[in-house]
């Protein structure tokens, strides 16, 4: 049976992606920084491994233990919401280390094996914020836009080896903990600059009440990732969720 390795599986999209592949009969390697946090169903087709995508040794150990990987899903990521002026370079580096450089590192780790087998798929999870700009998401959006560009170019490099690369663009998913975690990080790191306080409050209020009422579920993302993994005709960039689809269509 085919094997998928998914990063960031403790909660949210990653957990649902891993669970969905299990439902489809796949062998799943679900990775997360703390495997004890896993709430995935017990299965003889599931392995839960520790992995920090910002740590080269952690990546090497996880890949060695996982064995041959047919599909890599780069889902691990962190959110950030603040003005450029209110974001320290330390935070900028942290966001890019996880969202962008971690994605590159994981691709580099699995590609030698995929090239040897002349088969494989890499699915990188991005964000609807790459479709159109939103205030206070400049750093986060930049980290995910880089993932889009990376994947598009890598797909051209890898095609001759029988390897596909695709991007999933999820919309806003209020049912997950992603947004609340990002907001907690903001407050822990000093909050918004005073000059932006009023603007930030208005922006946050607008974000919490989508004009269309359309949102994304973790299941939407899991189904899109599975399509990217199994459908050779899947678009290079595939929106996941009603709001992401609406944005991609200019609505």
């Amino acid at each position: 049976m085919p094997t998928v390795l998914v990063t960031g599986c403790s909660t949210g999209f990653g957990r649902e992606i891993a669970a969905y592949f299990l439902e489809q009969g796949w062998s799943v390697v679900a990775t997360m920084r703390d495997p004890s946090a896993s709430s995935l169903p017990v299965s003889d087709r599931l392995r839960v491994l520790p992995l920090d995508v910002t740590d080269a040794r952690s990546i090497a150990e996880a890949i060695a233990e996982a064995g041959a990987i047919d599909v890599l899903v780069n889902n691990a990521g962190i959110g950030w919401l603040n003005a450029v002026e209110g974001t320290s370079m330390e935070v900028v580096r942290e966001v890019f280390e996880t969202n962008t450089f971690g994605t590159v590192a994981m691709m580099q780790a699995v590609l030698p094996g995929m090239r040897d087998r002349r088969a494989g798929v890499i699915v990188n999870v991005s964000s609807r914020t790459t479709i159109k700009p939103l205030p206070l998401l400049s750093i986060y959006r930049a980290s995910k836009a880089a993932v889009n560009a990376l994947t598009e170019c890598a797909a051209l490099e890898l095609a001759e080896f029988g390897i596909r690369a695709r991007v999933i663009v999820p919309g806003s998913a209020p049912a997950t903990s992603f947004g609340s975690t990002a907001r907690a990080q903001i407050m822990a790191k000093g909050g918004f600059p005073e000059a932006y306080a009023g603007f930030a409050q208005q922006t946050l209020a607008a974000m919490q009440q989508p004009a269309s009422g359309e949102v994304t579920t973790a299941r939407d993302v899991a189904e899109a990732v599975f399509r990217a993994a199994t459908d050779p005709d899947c678009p290079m960039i595939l929106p996941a969720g009603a709001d992401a689809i609406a944005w991609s269509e200019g609505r």
Side-chain angles (χ1 to χ4, degrees):
M1 68 187 71
T3 298
V4 59
L5 186 150
V6 186
T7 67
C9 289
S10 58
T11 60
F13 295 161
R15 184 194 183 284
E16 188 68 21
I17 292 165
Y20 190 83
F21 273 86
L22 281 173
E23 290 173 16
Q24 310 310 310
W26 283 53
S27 175
V28 175
V29 180
T31 69
M32 59 196 74
R33 291 189 178 187
D34 179 9
S36 68
S38 175
S39 59
L40 286 162
V42 175
S43 170
D44 59 4
R45 290 181 285 103
L46 172 67
R47 285 177 290 166
V48 179
L49 300 181
L51 173 62
D52 179 348
V53 300
T54 69
D55 184 318
R57 177 178 293 183
S58 177
I59 292 173
E61 291 174 350
I63 295 302
E65 188 167 350
I69 299 299
D70 299 292
V71 175
L72 167 67
V73 180
N74 277 312
N75 166 76
I78 57 176
W80 182 252
L81 186 77
N82 210 326
V84 172
E85 190 179 351
T87 305
S88 69
M89 287 307 300
E90 178 184 3
V91 171
V92 172
R93 293 186 181 96
E94 181 182 354
V95 171
F96 273 81
E97 281 287 350
T98 301
N99 295 356
T100 311
F101 303 154
T103 295
V104 174
M106 288 301 299
M107 291 174 68
Q108 291 179 341
V110 302
L111 280 173
M114 289 183 174
R115 277 195 297 101
D116 287 346
R117 295 187 299 276
R118 301 192 72 83
V121 183
I122 295 172
V123 183
N124 293 330
V125 179
S126 181
S127 167
R128 72 163 184 168
T129 63
T130 61
I131 299 173
K132 67 179 181 180
L134 289 173
L136 304 182
L137 286 167
S138 49
I139 301 303
Y140 176 75
R141 184 181 193 241
S143 73
K144 289 298 190 178
V147 169
N148 293 12
L150 165 76
T151 311
E152 289 175 315
C153 292
L156 301 177
E157 302 166 3
L158 300 174
E160 67 175 287
F161 302 109
I163 302 169
R164 300 198 312 275
R166 296 292 185 270
V167 178
I168 301 302
V169 181
S172 176
T176 70
S177 62
F178 191 80
S180 59
T181 301
R183 286 190 289 274
Q185 289 179 330
I186 295 161
M187 301 315 297
K189 294 178 179 179
F192 298 103
E194 184 177 350
Y196 295 84
F199 177 77
Q201 185 175 2
Q202 294 174 1
T203 300
L204 288 173
M207 286 181 175
Q208 291 168 359
Q209 296 181 341
S212 65
E214 297 175 322
V215 295
T216 294
T217 67
R219 189 74 170 191
D220 293 333
V221 178
E223 291 174 351
V225 168
F226 189 79
R227 177 185 173 188
T230 57
D231 179 5
D233 296 323
C234 176
M236 171 58 64
I237 297 180
L238 180 65
D243 53 336
I245 292 170
W247 278 26
S248 69
E249 295 174 348
R251 295 187 279 119

